[in-house]
Amino acid sequence: MDDSLFHVDGAPLKLLLLGGQKSGKSRQAELLARAWLQAGAGRSASLVATGTAYDAEMHERIARHQRDRRARVPQLATVEAPRDVAQQLQAHSRPDHLLVVDCLTLWLTNWLMPMEPSPLEPAQTWQAQCDAFVAALQAATGPIILVSNEIGLGVIPMGREVRAFVDALGLLNQQAAAACNRVQLMAAGLPLQMK
């Protein structure tokens, strides 16, 4: 396996995978994690999972993702972190360990549209989390793959809250793309190199 896939100009790979729902983003991230693990001895990889099951459909969706992941990449450890992505990057990034964050969209949802009430204003705490995430991403010493949805390609939503969410995700994706040395857009299971 060509290890240059995981380095860009001598720096560890920091890849943002963007795409719509069922575009193949998670599968692409898992395949890259498998390639990383197969490329050399002494390597490890973790998936930072941000999804939270608040209803039966989401519970089944998460269970399906877990089954698929175990089948494709059994050595990929999972860390549940619905809100603490920056802390996970700080704690686990190292040259011999690849991190996959799946996904930024649900992470943002957990901050801006929490199912459980918070004593703090979501937008204020979100900005601090976003700043910490970008700083942790820039400081990371190991390869990182971020998965996020591109939801801004359709019509402008009618509801104020939905418009605010689409705007916030677009800004988060822009910040992540700026901090990454590679960006791919996934469509129909195929990656298109953007950066």
Side-chain angles (χ1 to χ4, degrees):
M1 173 60 59
D2 182 10
D3 194 47
S4 66
L5 177 66
F6 300 101
H7 292 88
V8 179
D9 297 327
L13 174 70
K14 294 176 185 173
L15 170 64
L16 173 62
L17 289 172
L18 288 170
Q21 191 170 334
K22 291 296 174 199
S23 62
K25 303 178 304 295
S26 295
R27 178 182 293 258
Q28 177 76 352
E30 291 166 7
L31 293 175
L32 288 168
R34 185 171 68 192
W36 163 261
L37 290 165
Q38 293 173 345
R43 293 182 177 203
S44 57
S46 297
L47 178 122
V48 178
T50 62
T52 303
Y54 286 108
D55 60 38
E57 187 276 335
M58 190 63 175
H59 181 71
E60 176 50 35
R61 182 179 291 264
I62 289 171
R64 186 176 63 248
H65 270 278
Q66 291 170 338
R67 286 190 304 271
D68 292 347
R69 207 165 40 244
R70 277 192 302 272
R72 285 192 284 264
V73 195
Q75 315 92 311
L76 184 63
T78 300
V79 177
E80 302 286 340
R83 291 172 56 108
D84 300 327
V85 171
Q87 293 86 338
Q88 296 304 318
L89 295 183
Q90 292 167 344
H92 298 288
S93 178
R94 59 183 194 269
D96 63 344
H97 189 79
L98 178 136
L99 288 171
V100 175
V101 177
D102 195 356
C103 74
L104 297 182
T105 313
L106 291 175
W107 178 51
L108 175 65
T109 302
N110 294 333
W111 278 99
L112 293 189
M113 300 176 186
M115 294 300 288
E116 297 171 358
S118 169
L120 301 173
E121 178 63 34
Q124 293 171 341
T125 54
W126 164 248
Q127 190 55 56
Q129 282 297 313
C130 188
D131 293 345
F133 162 73
V134 171
L137 180 58
Q138 291 170 333
T141 59
I144 295 177
I145 300 170
L146 306 171
V147 176
S148 189
N149 290 76
E150 176 51 72
I151 63 172
L153 297 173
V155 298
I156 297 173
M158 292 184 65
R160 179 178 61 84
E161 292 85 3
V162 179
R163 282 193 303 273
F165 183 84
V166 171
D167 289 349
L169 183 58
L171 292 172
L172 173 59
N173 286 342
Q174 288 182 45
Q175 290 177 287
C180 286
N181 47 28
R182 290 284 184 262
V183 178
Q184 291 180 355
L185 178 66
M186 296 296 299
L190 301 172
L192 172 65
Q193 196 74 26
M194 299 176 67
K195 176 180 177 183

